[in-house]
């Protein structure tokens, strides 16, 4: 069935997450599959216009590779499963996927949404992908046809995977998802054994792994002990459960016992530290992105003049101010106004007034040292004041939000 480009993009849910699609890269996802639904990003699939001032994201492939090597080193050379859910934590799943597909320590990818798995395949990623989600038969078989491993955790997993395998016309690779105390996903550890026995007898699936997630609490050791007990019981019954994995970024620093057979990290790959970990010296990470925008307005204001909604800032002396066309809708945190600074050239300028949806205002000072068109860096590796962890600290938000809230509409560079 012929489709024009417009219909193709409209019908391809993967286009939404194959960041490449609306960043001008080719979307190689197969068209014509039904059950594609419109994306809220649909409008972005249209040709884009830009002045060059709008915010953009620079991805540093060297930093991604460096961070992957650091993780491998800290994890005693265990294979790394790169968690690239949520558009690779905001950095762009197609770009990040391509870089890490070629990184030696990265053995596989893990995602949470089926379109993320398809976006990786569309970007040319060849390594194994694990979908850590519940899938229905139709999507599950599409995943299997794209060589995506599925997570099993529901009571009906046996029948479900059976149907998926039949629909896909091939055996399905499976990782058993165990709830050892997080209470979010997985089959409860205390009733998983008979369930595993049933799955292990199915001929149309291969159990390639078994995994759990830690609540990052003082009960982590107890969780790991439960997981270990379950795996040992399965082994006693002669059941091979494959790769054991439990280690996220937090555990990499704080729960060495979680290393098991593979590590499953997201945040650290992108060059940010979990809370409390940046001073430990366990890993030397480099932020793998810069969030930037061009100055669009420079003005002098007088003492008593206000800035932004509610006159949140009032000048106590004459000063120059500048406006950047980036705001919280682009992913720069609202609360950056509580002490964040922006780097232009080699100087830092405080954020004043408010971070509104599409604009951020900075105080330039007594001299007009910035001009329209200057490039500002709001987050990046270039100064301690704008590191992701430092911004999170100053804005009193989670560092995950500094990355995860980056808008998929940002222009890509680098
Ligand atoms: C997000 C996620 C991870 C990665 O967590 P980080 O803290 O970013 O390393 C690992 N496992 C599961 C199940 C996840 O959902």
């Amino acid at each position: 069935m012929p489709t024009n480009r417009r219909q193709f993009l409209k019908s391809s849910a993967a286009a939404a997450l194959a960041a490449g699609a609306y960043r001008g890269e080719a979307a190689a996802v197969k068209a014509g599959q039904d059950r594609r639904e419109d994306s809220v990003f649909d409008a972005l699939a249209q040709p884009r216009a830009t002045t060059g001032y709008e915010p953009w994201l620079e991805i540093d492939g060297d930093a991604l590779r460096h961070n992957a090597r650091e993780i491998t080193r800290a994890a005693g050379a265990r294979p790394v499963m790169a968690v690239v859910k949520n558009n690779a934590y905001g950095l762009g799943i197609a770009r990040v996927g391509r870089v890490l597909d070629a990184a030696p320590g990265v053995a596989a990818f893990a995602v949470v949404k089926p379109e993320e798995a398809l976006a990786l395949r569309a970007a040319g990623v060849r390594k194994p992908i694990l979908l850590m989600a519940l899938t229905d038969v139709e999507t599950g078989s599409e995943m299997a046809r794209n060589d995506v491993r599925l997570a099993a955790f529901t009571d009906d997993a046996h029948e479900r995977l059976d149907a998926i395998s039949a629909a896909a016309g091939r055996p399905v690779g499976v990782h058993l998802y165990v709830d050892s105390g997080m209470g979010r996903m997985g089959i409860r550890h205390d009733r998983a054994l008979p369930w595993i026995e049933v799955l292990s007898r199915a001929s149309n699936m291969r159990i390639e792994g078994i995994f759990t997630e830690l609540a990052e609490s003082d009960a982590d050791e107890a969780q790991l002990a439960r997981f270990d007990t379950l795996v040992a019981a399965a082994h006693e019954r002669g059941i091979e459960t494959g790769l054991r994995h439990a280690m996220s970024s937090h555990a990499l620093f704080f729960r060495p016992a979680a290393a098991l057979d593979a590590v499953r990290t997201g945040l650290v790959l992108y060059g940010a530290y979990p809370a409390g970990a940046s001073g430990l010296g366990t890993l030397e990470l480099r932020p793998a992105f810069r969030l930037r925008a061009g100055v669009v307005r420079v003005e002098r204001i007088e003492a008593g003049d206000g800035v932004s909604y509610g006159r949140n800032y009032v000048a106590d002396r004459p000063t120059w101010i500048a406006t950047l066309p980036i705001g919280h809708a682009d992913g720069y945190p609202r609360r950056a106004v509580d002490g964040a600074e922006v780097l232009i050239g080699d100087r830092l300028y405080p954020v004043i007034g408010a971070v509104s949806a599409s604009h951020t205002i900075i105080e330039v000072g007594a001299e007009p040292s910035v001009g329209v068109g200057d490039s500002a860096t709001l987050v990046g590796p270039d100064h301690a004041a704008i590191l992701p962890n430092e911004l999170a600290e100053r804005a009193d938000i989670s560092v995950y939000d500094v990355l995860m809230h980056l808008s998929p509409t940002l222009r890509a560079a680098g």
Side-chain angles (χ1 to χ4, degrees):
M1 187 178 67
T3 49
N4 64 28
R5 179 176 159 76
R6 160 81 190 147
Q7 285 163 342
F8 167 73
L9 290 168
K10 203 170 154 56
S11 67
S12 170
L17 266 144
Y22 44 85
R23 286 174 183 166
E25 296 166 8
V29 179
K30 204 149 55 93
Q33 288 156 341
D34 29 31
R35 263 184 22 120
R36 293 284 189 228
E37 289 168 13
D38 278 359
S39 156
V40 292
F41 302 133
D42 187 46
L44 302 171
Q46 305 309 310
R48 305 193 60 190
T50 172
T51 61
Y53 304 118
E54 293 87 13
W56 72 95
L57 202 58
E58 291 174 5
I59 301 304
D60 182 345
D62 288 339
L64 277 173
R65 286 183 281 271
H66 165 84
N67 296 335
R69 282 195 302 273
E70 277 290 280
I71 297 164
T72 304
R73 183 186 59 71
R78 288 175 178 78
V80 177
M81 241 183 200
V83 182
V84 292
K85 66 191 179 194
N86 192 25
N87 199 26
Y89 287 44
L91 274 62
I93 193 165
R95 280 167 178 268
V96 168
R98 279 196 285 261
V99 172
L100 296 180
D101 202 39
V106 174
F109 293 88
V111 297
V112 170
K113 295 198 171 78
E115 62 261 39
E116 294 165 341
L118 292 184
L120 287 173
R121 288 286 179 249
V125 163
R126 306 285 292 272
K127 286 176 178 169
I129 301 171
L130 169 62
L131 173 60
M132 305 186 293
L134 181 62
T135 41
D136 60 14
V137 172
E138 195 165 350
T139 303
S141 63
E142 186 178 8
M143 293 296 112
R145 283 194 300 272
N146 283 279
D147 198 25
V148 175
R149 276 68 169 171
L150 302 178
F153 59 94
T154 53
D155 287 296
D156 72 352
H158 180 263
E159 296 78 21
R160 192 180 282 263
L161 291 164
D162 204 39
I164 288 172
S165 160
R170 56 157 84 183
V172 189
V174 172
H175 286 233
L176 309 174
Y177 201 162
V178 176
D179 177 9
S180 59
M182 170 79 162
R184 182 170 72 173
M185 288 285 275
I187 182 146
R188 269 187 68 100
H189 65 96
D190 51 6
R191 59 188 194 83
L193 189 58
W195 175 87
I196 293 175
E197 287 185 290
V198 171
L199 287 181
S200 72
R201 289 195 290 267
S203 57
N204 49 4
M205 66 190 85
R206 299 180 309 274
I207 300 178
E208 296 185 355
I210 184 165
F211 69 111
T212 193
E213 49 187 345
L214 301 176
E216 304 179 3
S217 80
D218 52 15
D220 282 2
E221 302 294 344
Q223 280 194 252
L224 286 168
R226 289 179 196 130
F227 184 65
D228 193 53
T229 302
L230 174 65
V231 174
H235 290 177
E236 267 166 35
R237 282 160 180 74
I239 301 168
E240 192 39 68
T241 49
L243 222 56
R244 300 165 303 154
H245 47 104
M247 183 173 262
S248 64
S249 295
H250 176 271
L252 193 56
F253 295 89
F254 301 109
R255 304 281 180 261
L260 305 177
D261 302 323
V263 302
R264 198 180 65 236
T265 50
L267 187 72
V268 283
L269 274 169
Y270 310 109
Y273 293 87
S278 50
L280 298 178
T282 319
L283 280 88
E284 187 263 302
L285 301 173
R286 299 185 193 152
F289 68 102
R290 285 184 183 82
L291 179 63
R292 311 193 72 191
V295 172
V296 290
R297 178 183 190 259
V298 179
E299 273 295 336
R300 197 183 116 109
I301 61 172
E302 304 301 329
D305 284 349
V307 169
S308 198
Y309 295 114
R311 283 167 45 88
N312 198 12
Y313 169 99
V314 178
D316 58 8
R317 75 200 78 163
T319 184
W320 290 84
I321 61 170
T323 302
L324 303 168
I326 178 171
H328 62 78
D330 301 297
Y332 190 58
R334 256 179 202 278
R335 295 176 65 177
V337 73
D338 297 331
E341 293 167 290
V342 165
L343 188 70
I344 302 176
D346 57 3
R347 282 186 56 186
L348 294 168
Y349 299 93
V351 175
I352 57 168
V355 175
S356 50
S358 310
H359 294 101
T360 293
I361 303 162
I362 56 175
E363 184 182 55
V364 174
E367 301 298 326
S369 54
V370 311
V372 168
D374 284 358
S375 294
T377 310
L378 296 96
V379 189
D382 312 289
H383 194 289
I386 57 167
L387 293 172
N389 284 95
E390 179 64 19
L391 175 59
E393 186 104 345
R394 293 185 183 199
D396 194 22
I397 58 171
S398 161
V399 70
Y400 285 86
D401 295 357
V402 172
L403 282 81
M404 294 265 194
H405 292 178
L406 293 169
S407 170
T409 65
L410 292 164
R411 294 183 295 139

